[in-house]
Amino acid sequence: MSGYLQRQIDKLKKEILSLGAMVEDRFQKAIFAIQTENLELTQKIIETDFEIDEREIEIEEECLKILALYQPVAMDLRFIVAVIKINNDLERIADYASNISIRFKTSFHDHRKFKYDYTAMADQTAKMLEMSLDALVHMDVDMAYKIRDMDEEVNAMRNDAYASMKKDIKTHPEMVGEIINMYLISRHLERIGDHTKNIAEEVIYLIEGDIVRHT
């Protein structure tokens, strides 16, 4: 049974990494769509979000099946628990990528009077997501801890965006709806950073067996 369980664990690892690659691709395309003002790509991201949802459900069902049939213990159990949580975080990241696309599409039709540069924040968040998946592949706990520190930088960028847009609201109160809509893009990026940090913390739990959330 242990040999079969190991094969199921290996298969599950491939599936979660495949989902991670899909989510990473969606996020990068959402940012590219904003930078290039590509409404067609934006619409495609929105319309295909269901694909990520379906994969997330399939992986969760696979995890539950392994738990029910083989009752794994120790490292195998920690891996499955971590995958269940990482699976959910990846699905939420994809949701936020779709939300970014929706916000951009709305702001584009609002004549785009206000344009904000999200490049640094998007690059930092994308790097965190890439590193979190690499940490999972290579079981790199040092990289996972580094991602937690990088999240503070994303939070600071979100705060800067908030301060900048608050000034614009005071200057142009008639445009408050559009400005808030643009602020929400930075908020979605910050939430993607939070979920990426969650993935890193699950990698730490997987390797060290310690729950480091809220510490």
Side-chain angles (χ1 to χ4, degrees), residues 78 81 85 145 148 198 200-215:
R78 290 213 305 270
V81 171
K85 294 183 177 182
Y145 275 111
R148 298 182 79 208
N198 291 347
E201 289 173 343
E202 289 307 320
V203 172
I204 294 170
Y205 165 73
L206 175 59
I207 298 170
E208 298 186 338
D210 293 329
I211 298 174
V212 295
R213 293 194 308 275
H214 316 305
T215 60

Side-chain angles (χ1 to χ4, degrees), residues 112-138:
R112 298 271 287 158
K113 181 176 180 178
F114 291 93
K115 295 185 179 182
Y116 297 95
D117 187 1
Y118 299 102
T119 304
M121 192 174 186
D123 287 348
Q124 177 83 340
T125 310
K127 184 63 176 176
M128 288 172 61
L129 179 55
E130 178 186 0
M131 288 174 62
S132 71
L133 296 173
D134 284 345
L136 178 60
V137 171
H138 302 294

Side-chain angles (χ1 to χ4, degrees), residues 42-185:
T42 295
Q43 186 62 31
K44 185 176 181 181
I45 294 168
I46 297 169
E47 291 176 351
T48 58
D49 184 57
F50 74 94
E51 296 175 353
I52 302 293
D53 296 339
E54 291 178 351
R55 289 292 297 276
E56 187 243 352
I57 291 172
E58 290 172 0
I59 290 174
E60 182 173 339
E61 289 178 341
E62 187 66 25
C63 289
L64 296 175
K65 184 176 73 174
I66 294 173
L67 288 172
L69 292 178
Y70 303 107
Q71 300 178 345
V73 296
M75 187 68 169
D76 291 336
L77 179 59
R78 290 213 305 270
F79 176 77
I80 294 171
V81 171
V83 166
I84 290 173
K85 294 183 177 182
I86 291 170
N87 187 43
N88 180 256
D89 283 314
L90 288 172
E91 188 273 334
R92 295 299 296 137
I93 290 171
D95 282 346
Y96 282 116
S98 179
N99 290 343
I100 287 170
S101 300
I102 292 170
R103 295 298 172 189
F104 167 72
K105 185 178 178 182
T106 302
S107 66
F108 190 90
H109 291 304
D110 282 343
H111 309 299
R112 298 271 287 158
K113 181 176 180 178
F114 291 93
K115 295 185 179 182
Y116 297 95
D117 187 1
Y118 299 102
T119 304
M121 192 174 186
D123 287 348
Q124 177 83 340
T125 310
K127 184 63 176 176
M128 288 172 61
L129 179 55
E130 178 186 0
M131 288 174 62
S132 71
L133 296 173
D134 284 345
L136 178 60
V137 171
H138 302 294
M139 300 290 282
D140 189 333
V141 72
D142 292 333
M143 185 180 293
Y145 275 111
K146 185 176 181 180
I147 293 166
R148 298 182 79 208
D149 296 333
M150 293 171 69
D151 184 57
E152 293 302 318
E153 298 174 25
V154 174
N155 293 340
M157 293 177 191
R158 190 277 317 276
N159 292 339
D160 289 342
Y162 174 75
S164 173
M165 294 179 197
K166 189 164 72 170
K167 290 180 181 178
D168 288 334
I169 288 175
K170 290 180 179 179
T171 307
H172 301 279
E174 76 282 1
M175 303 297 293
V176 62
E178 180 182 349
I179 297 170
I180 289 175
N181 195 56
M182 297 303 293
Y183 166 71
L184 287 173
I185 292 179

Side-chain angles (χ1 to χ4, degrees), residues 4-18:
Y4 189 78
L5 173 60
Q6 187 57 52
R7 288 193 293 273
Q8 293 301 305
I9 293 289
D10 292 342
K11 177 184 175 183
L12 188 60
K13 186 173 184 178
K14 290 179 182 178
E15 289 176 352
I16 195 66
L17 292 175
S18 175

